[in-house]
Every structure is written in C-alpha cells, then in structure tokens.
Amino acid sequence: MAIDTRQTVFRALLLAMAVGALAGCATTSPIDRPKLAMGQTWNAPEVATENTVPPDSLWWQAFGSAELDRLIRQAFDQSPDLAAMAERVFQAEQQARIAGSSLLPSLNLSGGTGARVTDGEGTSRRSESTSATLNASYELDVWGNLAASREEAEASFRTTAFDYDTVRLTLASSVATSWFQLLALEEQLRVARENLGIAERTEQIVDARYRNGAASRAELLRQQTEVLNQRASLVPLQLQYRQTRSALAVLVGASPLGFNTDTTGKTLLAIMLPSADVGVPSDLLTRRPDLAREEARLQAADANVEQARTAFLPSVSLGLSAGASSADLLTLANPVETAGWTLSLAQTLFDGGRLDAQQAISESQRLELVENYRSAILTALQETDGALDRVQTSQHREELQQTVNERAARTLELTELRYREGSDELLTLLDAQRTLFQTRDQLVQLRLARLVATVDLYKALGGGWSYPAGNK
C-alpha cells in the first residue's frame, strides 16, 4: 500500500479515537427506588423471630417430605411452562447481544473477478479485472444513544430473567400446595372411612336393641340413613382426589393418565411445619424476584427516555474503505490500491413533532412504571403480612380444634355407652356422632390451611431468592 494511502487510513483512525473518547463520556445514570414508607414491623399480632431461619432456595425441603422434593424437582425439569420461560430468557439475552453489537464497528469484505468482451466497428476488445475491497463503518456514539439502547436491552434481559425466577417460585409453591391438598384429601378419605365404620358399628348396636325390643323401627332407620350418608360422602371426596392428582401431574409436566404419587411416606398430620424468619418489611426489596423485575423494567424505561432525548441530536458515522484492483483475471498481481474515509453527520430538521411526542411517551411510560413499582411493593407487603397472619391464626385454630376433637371423641364414647344401657336416646347418639365427624374433618382442613399458609409465606418472602450481586 502506498505511503499516502496509509496516512489517509491513519488520520481516519485518529479521528475515530478522538470522537470515540467523547462518546465514552455519554452515560446513563442509575435509578433510585421510589420512596415509600413501609414501616418497621408487621401487623401480624405475633411475629415469631426465635428458632427461625431465613428461607433458602430449597425452602420446600423444610417440610421434610421426600416425595414433595421429588415432585418439585420433576416440575423444574419437565414443566412446559418453565421451559417456555427459559426460552424467552434466551431470546432476551440474544437481543441484548444484538443491541451491544451496535457499539462496535462493522466490517465487510467484498471481492470479484470477471471478463468482458466488447465488439464494435469490426474490432473486438476483451477486458479482465479482479478486485477486493474492505469496508468498515462505525456509528459514533457521541451522545450515548447506542449505550442507552444497550442498557435498555440488558435491563429487558434482566426483567425476563426475573420473570423466570418468579415463574419458578410460583411453580414450586403450586406443586407444594397441590401436594398438600392431595394429602388432605387422602386424610379426609381415611377419616370418612373411619366415620363410616363408627356409623356401621352404631347401626349394629341399634339393630341389636331393635331385635330385643329396646329400640324402635324408626331409630334403626335413622341410623341406617346415617350409614348411607357416610357412604355417599366418600364419592365427592374420591372425585376431588382424582382431579387434584391430575392437576398435580400437569404441574410437574407429566401426563395425568396413569399418574401416581408415593403417599406412603408421611400423612398430612405428620408433615413438618417449618418456621421462617420474615425479617423487616424493607427486606422484601431484595427477597422477591417480582420486585426486582419491576426495578429492571424501570431501568429499561430510563434508558428508553435517554434514547428519546438523544434522538434530537445529530448522528455521526465514520466510514473507512481500502481496496485493490487488477486488470488480470483471478489474480491481484500489480494491483491498484485505493483507500478513503468518510465522516457523515445527520440531523432531523422537521418531523412534525414526532420526536417530541416520542419523548413525552417515554417519560410518561417511566412514570407509569414508577407507580407500578410502588404498587408491587404495596402488594408484596400485603401478601407477606397476610400470609404471616394466616400462619398464626391457623396454628391457634388447629390447637383449639385438636382439643375439640378429643372432647367430641370422648363424648361419643360415653354417649354410646349410655345408649347401650338405655340411658340416652338415639338422637343424642346421632348428634354426638355428627359432632365428631365434623370436628375430625375440620381438623384436617385446618392442618391443610396451616400448611398452605406456610407455603404462601415462603412464596411471599421470595422463597430464599436474593437480589443478584452487581444488579442493584
């Protein structure tokens, strides 16, 4: 390459470095979280902080169920919804790479060779040529527009990643809730069968008294009706059990046809009831992925506003080209070398107010996201405080219901003995039976409510999720 050609390229490179230094000064500033008075304590009457630990990423293992652990891991591996969300994360990552590539120069290499024959005035001329050209173009990010575009894409990628974390947490909590509901239905079926056994045993007592003339036909029919009612109560429970099992199968990404779970490990009443450290309300900002998502969306909106502002400023582009051509076919022997550079400036002079409107839209969208962020924080506070209150309330109710159940069982035992001796009427015995049946079923329902409330509390606390380092 000739000396003047090298000098031309060298001057262009110096110009690019000088303008690039100016571009490096254009940056977007980090956002501030919206100001919100959260309070220092929860409204729940008894916030337990002793003998508790913060939830970790495997929070469901605190319930001590190996089958629940297996089901949640299967859901993470096979859930189509989670897999689809993972693909969206990958797509957002590639979009961020595309946006980042705009900050780098583009290089294009072209080449060609050929021959042409020209006939005219009885003569024929043949010409051959071979050429190769290297072009480089670079849009100088003088005002930070391209950097803002990259920051918007990266914030959108983080938003999608936090969406994935939210879906993963929701999936785990849904599997846990469905699993506990399945165990509760199994326990209800067991209680219903035991209740049927009690009713059938009482029927035998009434039948014996009837055959001995100590009871009327009406009393026997009443007890037979109670037996039929207990048998009929099994049918909707069995249907609900099958439907809940099918719903659990879909959650873990399995076919509901032929799906079964191992329910022999622990019954509902044997499941451990862990206690999580809820911390202070402000901890939620770094514990919940959905709040991190809202913050990332706000960061993307800030970058979008920056792009709208820089759209009013001129764009600067630098182009470099170098090539060689030869009058021979398929060879660059004895080439003619060329080199050049261009610096272009483009400025919109009139657009009918389009850029003004775009900037106004971007700023309004940012304000909208600020309010959405505040709303998400308020919702997170309400969900956590509500879940904590339900955990405490269901615990107290279960403890009271356990006492009620013990008293009802003792009442039935004494009433049955008095009925055998003829001291009580059948209606008293029937009332004692129904009371026991109701209290036993209520005890199962309260244990389920307590477990579900604990799952909701783990979910409200982010399930052991924490804000990734470097993204705050």
Side-chain angles (χ1 to χ4, degrees):
M1 184 178 292
I3 295 179
D4 58 344
T5 302
R6 294 192 183 98
Q7 291 177 345
T8 299
V9 175
F10 182 68
R11 293 192 190 99
L13 290 175
L14 288 178
L15 179 62
M17 293 173 61
V19 182
L22 294 175
C25 299
T27 59
T28 56
S29 58
I31 68 162
D32 294 326
R33 292 189 177 101
K35 304 300 181 181
L36 182 66
M38 298 187 191
Q40 299 299 319
T41 59
W42 302 100
N43 290 330
E46 299 177 7
V47 179
T49 56
E50 296 182 358
N51 301 321
T52 59
V53 293
D56 60 20
S57 59
L58 303 178
W59 56 268
W60 58 87
Q61 293 182 350
F63 292 98
S65 172
E67 181 66 7
L68 175 60
D69 183 51
R70 184 190 69 83
L71 289 171
I72 291 181
R73 292 183 184 277
Q74 180 178 346
F76 289 163
D77 292 337
Q78 300 183 14
S79 171
D81 294 335
L82 191 62
M85 192 67 230
E87 292 303 321
R88 286 196 285 274
V89 173
F90 175 78
Q91 295 164 21
E93 182 182 15
Q94 301 311 306
Q95 288 293 337
R97 290 182 60 188
I98 293 173
S101 65
S102 61
L103 290 170
L104 302 174
S106 62
L107 297 175
N108 296 287
L109 177 64
S110 61
T113 185
R116 183 172 65 174
V117 177
T118 304
D119 293 328
E121 297 180 357
T123 62
S124 177
R125 298 180 58 188
R126 175 184 174 88
S127 61
E128 298 176 347
S129 65
T130 299
S131 64
T133 305
L134 177 65
N135 292 308
S137 60
Y138 180 42
E139 182 177 351
L140 302 176
D141 194 20
V142 180
W143 319 115
N145 177 61
L146 298 180
S149 176
R150 181 186 62 182
E151 289 182 15
E152 179 189 15
E154 290 176 348
S156 297
F157 164 63
R158 291 194 299 272
T159 298
T160 311
F162 295 145
D163 279 335
Y164 175 85
D165 294 336
T166 302
V167 171
R168 193 175 186 271
L169 175 60
T170 302
L171 177 62
S173 61
S174 298
V175 171
T177 299
S178 297
W179 170 244
F180 292 145
Q181 289 173 343
L182 196 66
L183 290 180
L185 288 167
E186 190 175 73
E187 187 70 18
Q188 285 181 284
L189 283 168
R190 184 187 65 79
V191 170
R193 294 187 183 100
E194 291 180 357
N195 291 344
L196 176 59
I198 294 173
E200 290 174 340
R201 185 187 68 203
T202 305
E203 180 187 8
Q204 294 173 359
I205 297 173
V206 177
D207 183 63
R209 286 173 55 84
Y210 171 71
R211 285 186 281 104
N212 291 325
S216 66
R217 174 70 175 169
E219 289 179 332
L220 179 60
L221 290 175
R222 285 194 191 99
Q223 186 58 35
Q224 288 176 343
T225 301
E226 184 65 28
V227 171
L228 292 174
N229 285 334
Q230 291 302 316
R231 287 176 181 167
S233 67
L234 289 171
V235 177
L237 287 175
Q238 291 168 341
L239 173 61
Q240 192 175 358
Y241 180 86
R242 292 192 296 269
Q243 291 177 336
T244 303
R245 184 177 60 192
S246 296
L248 178 59
V250 174
L251 280 174
V252 301
S255 170
L257 305 180
F259 177 79
N260 285 297
T261 59
D262 182 10
T263 58
T264 59
K266 286 190 176 182
T267 63
L268 182 76
L269 300 179
I271 293 292
M272 295 174 57
L273 285 162
S275 181
D277 181 12
V278 297
V280 296
S282 59
D283 289 343
L284 290 183
L285 291 177
T286 57
R287 277 185 170 185
R288 289 176 54 124
D290 59 334
L291 296 184
R293 175 194 61 198
E294 294 301 324
E295 184 171 332
R297 292 181 64 193
L298 190 53
Q299 290 171 338
D302 276 353
N304 192 34
V305 169
E306 187 67 20
Q307 290 183 75
R309 290 171 180 168
T310 58
F312 290 95
L313 303 173
S315 61
V316 182
S317 299
L318 176 66
L320 300 175
S321 64
S325 61
S326 173
D328 298 322
L329 188 65
L330 297 175
T331 181
L332 286 175
N334 301 318
V336 176
E337 297 177 346
T338 60
W341 64 273
T342 59
L343 182 65
S344 61
L345 184 70
Q347 171 68 58
T348 300
L349 298 179
F350 179 75
D351 62 358
R354 179 181 63 85
L355 292 179
D356 288 321
Q358 184 60 53
Q359 181 179 0
I361 291 174
S362 299
E363 292 176 349
S364 177
Q365 288 174 340
R366 185 195 182 281
L367 294 176
E368 177 188 357
L369 290 175
V370 169
E371 297 306 317
N372 289 341
Y373 191 10
R374 292 179 63 248
S375 176
I377 294 174
L378 294 174
T379 300
L381 293 171
Q382 184 270 330
E383 289 177 350
T384 304
D385 192 67
L388 183 61
D389 207 348
R390 289 194 300 275
V391 168
Q392 296 173 3
T393 302
S394 60
Q395 178 182 353
H396 295 325
R397 290 187 62 193
E398 184 185 6
E399 292 170 353
L400 292 173
Q401 190 65 30
Q402 184 66 46
T403 303
V404 171
N405 185 67
E406 293 172 357
R407 300 287 174 83
R410 181 57 177 164
T411 300
L412 176 61
E413 181 182 345
L414 295 175
T415 304
E416 185 179 303
L417 180 61
R418 289 175 59 82
Y419 180 76
R420 286 175 182 268
E421 297 172 350
S423 300
D424 274 340
E425 297 180 353
L426 178 62
L427 291 178
T428 305
L429 179 60
L430 287 174
D431 184 64
Q433 283 184 101
R434 291 166 185 160
T435 300
L436 177 62
F437 297 164
Q438 292 171 359
T439 57
R440 296 179 73 182
D441 185 74
Q442 186 68 15
L443 183 61
V444 174
Q445 293 292 336
L446 287 174
R447 173 53 65 95
L448 174 62
R450 190 175 173 187
L451 286 168
V452 171
T454 304
V455 172
D456 290 342
L457 180 59
Y458 274 118
K459 180 182 177 183
L461 293 174
W465 185 92
S466 60
Y467 210 119
N471 286 339
K472 294 183 181 180

